[in-house]
Amino acid sequence: MSAPKLTVSRRIRATPYTPKVESLGVSGYSVVNHTILAKGFRKSVEEDYWHLKEHVQLWDVGCQRQVELKGPDAAKLTQLMTPRDLRQATAGQCLYAPLVDGNGLMLNDPIILKLADNHFWLSIADSDILLWAKGLALGMKLNVKITEPDVWPLAVQGPKSDDLMAQVFGPSIRDLKFFQFDYFDFDRHPLLIARSGYSKQGGFEIYLDKPSIGTELWDALWQAGKAFNISPGCPNLIERVEGGLLSYGNEFTMANNLFECGFDEYCQLDNDVEFIGKQALQQIAKRGRERLIRGVIFDGGSCPPCQQPWPLTINEEFVGEISTAIWSPRFQRNVALAMLEKGFWQAGTQVEVSSSDGLIRKGLVTDLPMQDKQIRPLLPAD
Amino acid sequence: MSAPKLTVSRRIRATPYTPKVESLGVSGYSVVNHTILAKGFRKSVEEDYWHLKEHVQLWDVGCQRQVELKGPDAAKLTQLMTPRDLRQATAGQCLYAPLVDGNGLMLNDPIILKLADNHFWLSIADSDILLWAKGLALGMKLNVKITEPDVWPLAVQGPKSDDLMAQVFGPSIRDLKFFQFDYFDFDRHPLLIARSGYSKQGGFEIYLDKPSIGTELWDALWQAGKAFNISPGCPNLIERVEGGLLSYGNEFTMANNLFECGFDEYCQLDNDVEFIGKQALQQIAKRGRERLIRGVIFDGGSCPPCQQPWPLTINEEFVGEISTAIWSPRFQRNVALAMLEKGFWQAGTQVEVSSSDGLIRKGLVTDLPMQDKQIRPLLPAD
């Protein structure tokens, strides 16, 4: 399928930064949470990849919508929604947390921000968790107010993020720890800023709750960023695949349980914390997972975009499927994220990739994130 | 904002008809329910409008996803989800039904298909009602299975629909009544077909539950349609606005209650049927609605697309906002759907439209659907 035009209407929301993104030459959009997400600018994906790894970028991630849970039962409902044990969570903490249904199947994988004991934001991937939370609260008669606040995240990503942010928000922002947030003044307005983001290159996410100053915020970061070779950006597909950053709807869907996604470390089954899907997950844990998300690296020259899953086979037997794939300039191979069937997910397993261009390509299963020291020895010398 | 490209991935689903739509020269897409929806082909919107009103079109509406409720408590949950009294509904019936939350605010406006006493499909607009239904069922401990079946609606719309459908499915399909469905064989497979669709020009929706025959179904309709001047199509914005067909996310959102949308006839408050939001809606009914969706017709030459609401004013006082607008070749004016504040929604009210091109245009409030006999006398002679 070619890349057709996106028709925008009120239903598919722009963000406070959209005029800036447009003026900087956005080349395409996706839609996440009924909101547009830039998918590229003037640089190629490869140029953008190297830039992200060396400098600093400004990303409009307004599509990362917040589901706010506030009120006497907010902590109870938040805990019910995730298998991650939140008892030790403290205000100011960000927690990556899978959300599952009664069968342990994945509904979303937000970052939970604990604002106060009974006040949380779920910074969500692409599904209407607001409706899930509202349905649960109404059905269980919980006393909690559930809303989508008028908050528009803006990400600063890349190794020069600290230098840039210190210029705009002062040097104390350098002390912010990974997956912690705090408040920093901008134009006499306190902004919630977290050290987080959808890349492995370091950076921050600014949760702007006053959209009327979106332009000023963007401009201030852009001006200060000129000294650091700033560029507009967006989640980079090469960097995301190599880094093993998953995307709900792509690598996993409501058809997959938590263990198939490899989210074991965010699931505590051996205590008395109550959450939805606990019994189902205990049963799956007992009998073992049937499949697992892994990396795949494969040759045959630059592959087309993976718009529908590509089968992985060994001697014509189905052993998994690729959900996302792209050429990696670092490995000089294609890199991919894939769901591998039981018995075939060990790193080094040789598979055949049927890409949508009709080629059969030779592939190797890898751990995630993809590590040079694992992959290099597996590659034949060019 | 210009029309940028849409980047497609597994997360934004193609349909079984996408290859056909692509081969026929689709000019752009929108995204509805995580699925692509064609927004135009080679004809202009005006050419398409006249074609739809005279001939027959084939629309890929695979984005109209179904939420299936099946099991002992399916009827109970379906009724809880809508203020429309479903007690008299019979199997084989389609029912347009607003869904509201505990405050009477709009969550979606699906067509409910009653398949059997405890088996329903909700053919939804753009929000994840699957999650709302699952949350309610889990919270209320209801015994109902809630899934998204592998069903891909294909619409046949326009005045020649009956003639075309009779060729493919036999003459008995002519007897199908409006908003009723029945099963008709195609290639020895029974297909659920309803007399319904997102236009006012008549037609059918085929709920294909066997995607592997999507191409054959499309081809059979296309071949038979050649005698009727068939064209690929999609919901036509001019026809939709004139016909008063609303779109969730555009004309109304979760910020609007049922009465603001004018859905009074789908809300029964004076009986003992239990549903979510009943008390809230009773209170709103008592004190009266604060705003109402109406038509607006305005001049000043062809307007740009309305991507964010345009204010309506009288002597600089805010009296409402337009959500969707387009040039109507029939009225030789722009036509629009708008939310009008109390005191200003009477047909004939003169308003000023601030369109995004900076013009101030003279407008008139109209009833919906827009009627020649009401509108013509209001227009000055050209």
Side-chain angles (χ1 to χ4, degrees):
Chain A
M1 202 164 80
S2 58
K5 286 182 174 175
L6 174 67
T7 306
V8 176
S9 67
R10 182 191 184 195
R11 184 176 57 77
I12 296 179
R13 297 172 286 191
T15 86
Y17 320 111
T18 299
K20 291 292 168 185
V21 163
E22 297 269 314
S23 72
L24 289 161
V26 63
S27 61
Y29 285 115
S30 185
V31 177
V32 176
N33 289 323
H34 316 279
T35 310
I36 53 176
L37 170 67
K39 292 299 281 187
F41 289 87
R42 291 179 184 128
K43 287 187 176 71
S44 72
V45 184
E46 287 191 28
E47 289 171 320
D48 183 71
Y49 168 83
W50 294 119
H51 182 275
L52 174 61
K53 285 168 94 84
E54 288 166 32
H55 304 287
V56 63
Q57 298 188 349
L58 203 47
W59 297 2
D60 173 3
V61 288
C63 67
Q64 294 173 194
R65 306 306 299 158
Q66 308 307 304
V67 176
E68 175 168 282
L69 286 74
K70 193 173 182 181
D73 290 329
K76 182 179 178 184
L77 179 56
T78 305
Q79 179 64 80
L80 278 172
M81 289 171 70
T82 181
R84 182 162 182 178
D85 183 350
L86 302 176
R87 286 177 299 179
Q88 305 305 320
T90 53
Q93 193 178 348
C94 303
L95 301 106
Y96 181 65
L99 308 186
V100 300
D101 73 3
N103 298 314
L105 298 171
M106 292 300 306
L107 300 182
N108 206 295
D109 64 331
I111 290 171
I112 298 176
L113 289 85
K114 180 165 178 172
L115 301 171
D117 279 347
N118 267 313
H119 190 188
F120 296 83
W121 282 353
L122 278 53
S123 188
I124 57 168
D126 187 27
S127 71
D128 295 335
I129 290 304
L130 184 78
L131 294 177
W132 171 241
K134 279 170 72 90
L136 290 171
L138 197 147
M140 294 177 171
K141 301 189 199 310
L142 298 178
N143 187 358
V144 50
K145 198 174 170 196
I146 301 162
T147 56
E148 180 180 302
D150 199 13
V151 167
W152 301 90
L154 179 63
V156 174
Q157 297 286 295
K160 297 180 183 168
S161 293
D162 276 63
D163 292 341
L164 168 55
M165 292 291 279
Q167 295 265 326
V168 176
F169 296 101
S172 67
I173 205 159
R174 294 181 187 273
D175 301 328
L176 194 62
K177 292 199 169 63
F178 183 66
F179 264 47
Q180 295 281 337
F181 66 83
D182 207 340
Y183 297 86
F184 298 85
D185 275 356
F186 177 78
D187 198 20
R188 282 170 296 172
H189 180 78
L191 290 177
L192 189 162
I193 301 180
R195 188 183 288 274
S196 57
Y198 200 52
S199 86
K200 294 274 178 151
Q201 306 311 317
F204 300 85
E205 288 176 304
I206 305 166
Y207 288 76
L208 174 67
D209 63 347
K210 190 180 174 185
S212 61
I213 60 168
T215 300
E216 289 89 327
L217 177 62
W218 180 287
D219 285 343
L221 289 161
W222 190 260
Q223 284 305 320
K226 285 182 178 171
F228 306 105
N229 192 17
I230 195 169
S231 172
C234 56
N236 181 284
L237 204 57
I238 308 167
E239 201 269 346
R240 169 169 101 69
V241 171
E242 291 181 356
L245 292 169
L246 310 183
S247 157
Y248 185 64
N250 285 310
E251 278 62 68
F252 60 106
T253 71
M254 212 180 291
N256 299 112
N257 67 54
L258 177 146
F259 294 113
E260 292 174 349
C261 305
F263 293 151
D264 305 38
E265 66 182 299
Y266 309 112
C267 174
Q268 282 83 47
L269 296 170
D270 303 322
N271 58 37
D272 56 1
V273 174
E274 263 191 76
F275 62 84
I276 292 161
K278 188 168 188 176
Q279 209 182 341
L281 289 172
Q282 282 169 332
Q283 287 169 5
I284 298 166
K286 204 169 160 185
R287 67 169 187 263
R289 79 194 94 213
E290 295 294 318
R291 52 195 66 80
L292 181 60
I293 296 173
R294 306 289 277 152
V296 171
I297 180 160
F298 62 97
D299 47 27
S302 177
C303 69
C306 180
Q307 295 177 340
Q308 305 213 28
W310 294 342
L312 297 173
T313 52
I314 298 177
N315 299 326
E316 296 183 6
E317 180 191 0
F318 177 88
V319 300
E321 57 185 23
I322 282 178
S323 49
T324 301
I326 192 162
W327 180 257
S328 163
R330 176 173 148 208
F331 293 117
Q332 291 291 305
R333 295 287 185 287
N334 296 291
V335 289
L337 298 168
M339 186 68 81
L340 271 296
E341 297 296 308
K342 195 172 187 165
F344 303 101
W345 64 55
Q346 300 83 346
T349 302
Q350 296 186 18
V351 294
E352 287 178 335
V353 178
S354 296
S355 49
S356 56
D357 53 9
L359 294 187
I360 310 287
R361 300 155 182 265
K362 287 183 184 170
L364 283 171
V365 175
T366 75
D367 290 331
L368 289 174
M370 295 181 178
Q371 306 283 356
D372 272 59
K373 63 179 183 225
Q374 177 181 69
I375 292 172
R376 299 276 179 209
L378 296 172
L379 301 178
D382 287 309
Chain B
M1 201 164 79
S2 59
K5 286 183 173 174
L6 174 66
T7 306
V8 175
S9 66
R10 181 191 184 195
R11 184 176 56 75
I12 295 179
R13 297 173 287 191
T15 87
Y17 320 112
T18 299
K20 293 291 170 186
V21 164
E22 296 270 315
S23 72
L24 288 161
V26 64
S27 61
Y29 284 115
S30 185
V31 176
V32 176
N33 290 322
H34 315 279
T35 310
I36 52 175
L37 170 67
K39 292 299 281 186
F41 289 87
R42 290 177 183 128
K43 288 186 176 70
S44 70
V45 183
E46 287 191 26
E47 289 170 323
D48 182 73
Y49 168 82
W50 294 117
H51 181 275
L52 173 62
K53 286 168 93 83
E54 287 166 33
H55 304 288
V56 63
Q57 298 188 350
L58 204 47
W59 297 3
D60 173 2
V61 287
C63 66
Q64 294 173 194
R65 307 305 300 157
Q66 309 307 302
V67 177
E68 176 169 281
L69 286 76
K70 194 174 182 179
D73 290 328
K76 182 180 177 184
L77 179 56
T78 306
Q79 179 65 80
L80 278 172
M81 289 171 69
T82 181
R84 182 163 181 179
D85 183 352
L86 302 176
R87 285 177 300 178
Q88 306 304 317
T90 54
Q93 194 178 348
C94 304
L95 302 105
Y96 182 65
L99 309 186
V100 301
D101 73 2
N103 297 315
L105 299 172
M106 293 299 307
L107 300 183
N108 207 295
D109 63 332
I111 290 172
I112 298 178
L113 288 84
K114 181 167 179 171
L115 302 171
D117 279 349
N118 267 315
H119 190 187
F120 295 83
W121 282 351
L122 278 53
S123 188
I124 57 170
D126 186 28
S127 70
D128 295 336
I129 290 304
L130 184 78
L131 294 177
W132 171 240
K134 280 170 73 89
L136 290 171
L138 197 147
M140 294 177 173
K141 300 188 198 310
L142 298 178
N143 187 357
V144 50
K145 200 175 167 195
I146 300 162
T147 58
E148 181 180 301
D150 198 14
V151 166
W152 300 91
L154 178 64
V156 174
Q157 297 286 295
K160 297 179 182 170
S161 293
D162 276 63
D163 292 342
L164 167 55
M165 292 291 279
Q167 293 265 329
V168 176
F169 296 101
S172 67
I173 204 160
R174 294 181 188 274
D175 301 329
L176 193 62
K177 292 198 170 64
F178 183 67
F179 263 48
Q180 294 281 336
F181 67 83
D182 207 340
Y183 296 86
F184 298 85
D185 275 355
F186 177 77
D187 199 19
R188 285 170 295 172
H189 180 79
L191 289 177
L192 190 162
I193 301 181
R195 189 182 288 274
S196 58
Y198 199 56
S199 85
K200 293 276 180 149
Q201 307 310 317
F204 299 86
E205 289 177 302
I206 306 166
Y207 288 76
L208 174 67
D209 62 348
K210 191 181 173 185
S212 61
I213 60 168
T215 300
E216 290 89 325
L217 177 63
W218 180 286
D219 286 342
L221 289 161
W222 189 261
Q223 283 304 319
K226 285 181 177 171
F228 305 106
N229 192 17
I230 195 169
S231 173
C234 57
N236 181 282
L237 202 58
I238 308 167
E239 200 271 345
R240 169 168 101 69
V241 171
E242 290 181 358
L245 292 168
L246 310 183
S247 158
Y248 184 64
N250 285 311
E251 277 63 68
F252 60 106
T253 71
M254 212 179 289
N256 300 113
N257 69 54
L258 178 146
F259 294 113
E260 292 175 348
C261 305
F263 293 150
D264 305 39
E265 65 182 300
Y266 309 112
C267 175
Q268 283 83 47
L269 295 170
D270 302 324
N271 58 37
D272 56 2
V273 174
E274 263 191 75
F275 61 84
I276 292 160
K278 189 168 186 176
Q279 210 183 343
L281 289 172
Q282 283 170 331
Q283 287 169 3
I284 298 167
K286 204 168 159 186
R287 67 169 188 261
R289 79 194 95 215
E290 295 295 318
R291 53 195 65 82
L292 181 61
I293 296 174
R294 306 289 278 151
V296 170
I297 179 161
F298 62 96
D299 47 28
S302 178
C303 69
C306 180
Q307 295 177 341
Q308 305 214 30
W310 294 342
L312 297 172
T313 52
I314 298 178
N315 298 327
E316 296 182 7
E317 180 192 0
F318 177 87
V319 299
E321 57 185 22
I322 283 177
S323 49
T324 301
I326 192 164
W327 181 255
S328 162
R330 176 172 149 214
F331 294 117
Q332 292 290 305
R333 294 287 186 289
N334 297 291
V335 290
L337 298 168
M339 188 68 81
L340 271 297
E341 296 297 308
K342 194 171 186 166
F344 304 102
W345 64 56
Q346 301 85 343
T349 302
Q350 296 186 21
V351 295
E352 287 178 335
V353 178
S354 297
S355 48
S356 56
D357 53 9
L359 294 188
I360 308 289
R361 300 154 182 266
K362 286 182 186 173
L364 283 170
V365 176
T366 76
D367 289 331
L368 289 174
M370 295 182 179
Q371 306 283 355
D372 271 60
K373 64 179 184 229
Q374 176 182 70
I375 292 173
R376 299 281 178 204
L378 296 173
L379 300 178
D382 286 308

